[in-house]
Amino acid sequence: MNKNRLKDKTVLITGASSGIGRACSMAFAAHGAKLIITARRASELAQLKTELVEKFGVEVFSAVFDVQNRSQIEQFFTQIPVQFQQIDILLNNAGLALGLCPTLESNCDDWESMLNTNVAGMFYMTKAVLEIMCQRLSGHIINLGSVAGVVHYANASVYCATKAAVHAFSNSLREECIEKNIKVSEVMPGMVNTEFSTVRFKGDKERADNVYAGMNPLTADDIADLVIYIANLPPHVNLAQSLIFPTAQAGTKVHRRNDID
């Protein structure tokens, strides 16, 4: 698939300052897309914007806000410059896991953060962008889910529930949008070595590194490659669901080797 269908498309990416969001921002820019990048961390987002403009010469609009906050989202959509308002692709990437322990021992504040970011924030962003796409009868919404949305595991009940919500929402929305010529795709990664586990374990880097010990996990660039493939497909083709694992993972089973650090 050599044809570039992404040049000059306007792509909105949440959670763009690090990990998968950052890798996807770089990949879309490499294909000549105009970017709207959003995140909570101002300095990292500003650094990314500078890098995108200097390396790829693309137009970039950045905005710092928290997808957990509906009023901040509403304000953001009133501030998008005219040249970025016709959004072609929404990548709902913002998300997190907090904690890995039995439900009875979990922190309710962590639950709220996961629910508000992974679920409510995605709902709010999608609804706002849908209003734009439905007027044009064109668009593509790509939701970052997880294998946890379809293969559930112990000690992560609420995180799994949030990603199951992403899966259900994507399936339902796809049917709603079919008459509007709007694609809805879901990417469900397995183990990806980003800040994910460090955030989950609240800065405990040693514990986070142990998650990937003895195996070669996916990288953020691996996921970005898949997202670009999905977004660049011909208009009549929608890769609706993509479950992507490292070779050493199958569902909840992971093969670890002593010869891999």
Side-chain angles (χ1 to χ4, degrees):
M1 185 177 61
N2 296 320
K3 185 173 182 179
N4 180 11
R5 300 179 177 89
L6 300 175
K7 184 174 172 55
D8 298 325
K9 292 285 183 72
T10 300
V11 183
L12 168 54
I13 301 174
T14 65
S17 63
S18 65
I20 293 171
R22 193 181 201 283
C24 288
S25 298
M26 298 293 286
F28 275 110
H31 284 74
K34 294 164 55 177
L35 289 172
I36 305 172
I37 53 173
T38 77
R40 292 182 297 174
R41 296 182 289 184
S43 59
E44 288 85 348
L45 196 65
Q47 181 180 353
L48 173 60
K49 179 178 180 178
T50 299
E51 190 172 346
L52 292 170
V53 172
E54 290 181 351
K55 186 171 184 178
F56 302 107
V58 296
E59 294 182 72
V60 182
F61 173 66
S62 63
V64 177
F65 66 90
D66 190 340
V67 296
Q68 297 186 68
N69 190 313
R70 181 155 56 99
S71 63
Q72 289 183 15
I73 290 175
E74 291 170 351
Q75 184 179 16
F76 158 69
F77 277 95
T78 68
Q79 297 173 342
I80 299 176
V82 172
Q83 66 268 34
F84 291 92
Q85 289 179 0
Q86 296 304 310
I87 297 166
D88 297 292
I89 299 168
L90 167 64
L91 177 58
N92 277 316
N93 168 73
L96 76 168
L98 293 170
L100 187 66
C101 60
T103 303
L104 187 60
E105 300 171 14
S106 355
N107 185 310
C108 291
D109 290 337
D110 290 346
W111 291 2
E112 289 187 7
S113 293
M114 289 186 284
L115 287 163
N116 291 336
T117 303
N118 301 357
V119 183
M122 178 191 64
F123 291 173
Y124 299 150
M125 291 297 299
T126 300
K127 186 175 188 298
V129 172
L130 268 180
E131 293 180 7
I132 298 167
M133 291 181 173
C134 285
Q135 291 176 1
R136 297 167 53 215
L137 296 178
S138 177
H140 195 170
I141 296 168
I142 303 174
N143 295 326
L144 251 294
S146 168
V147 60
V150 291
V151 181
H152 312 132
Y153 55 95
N155 299 328
S157 58
V158 174
Y159 174 70
C160 289
T162 66
K163 290 304 182 178
V166 174
H167 185 58
F169 180 72
S170 300
N171 287 340
S172 180
L173 187 66
R174 190 177 304 112
E175 293 200 11
E176 293 176 12
C177 290
I178 195 168
E179 289 87 4
K180 302 293 185 181
N181 194 40
I182 297 170
K183 299 182 186 183
V184 179
S185 303
E186 181 188 9
V187 177
M188 296 173 280
M191 299 169 72
V192 187
N193 192 357
T194 62
E195 294 180 354
F196 177 85
S197 290
T198 304
V199 172
R200 163 172 263 176
F201 299 128
K202 301 182 180 180
D204 188 336
K205 190 70 167 57
E206 183 178 357
R207 190 178 179 192
D209 288 343
N210 283 337
V211 171
Y212 311 109
M215 54 91 69
N216 289 320
L218 298 169
T219 67
D221 287 335
D222 294 328
I223 307 305
D225 287 344
L226 177 57
V227 169
I228 291 296
Y229 178 82
I230 293 168
N232 197 40
L233 286 167
H236 71 288
V237 180
N238 179 27
L239 187 51
Q241 296 176 352
S242 306
L243 184 61
I244 176 171
F245 288 137
T247 303
Q249 180 184 9
T252 59
K253 184 175 181 179
V254 179
H255 176 58
R256 301 184 189 274
R257 293 164 40 186
N258 294 329
D259 60 336
I260 298 177
D261 291 333

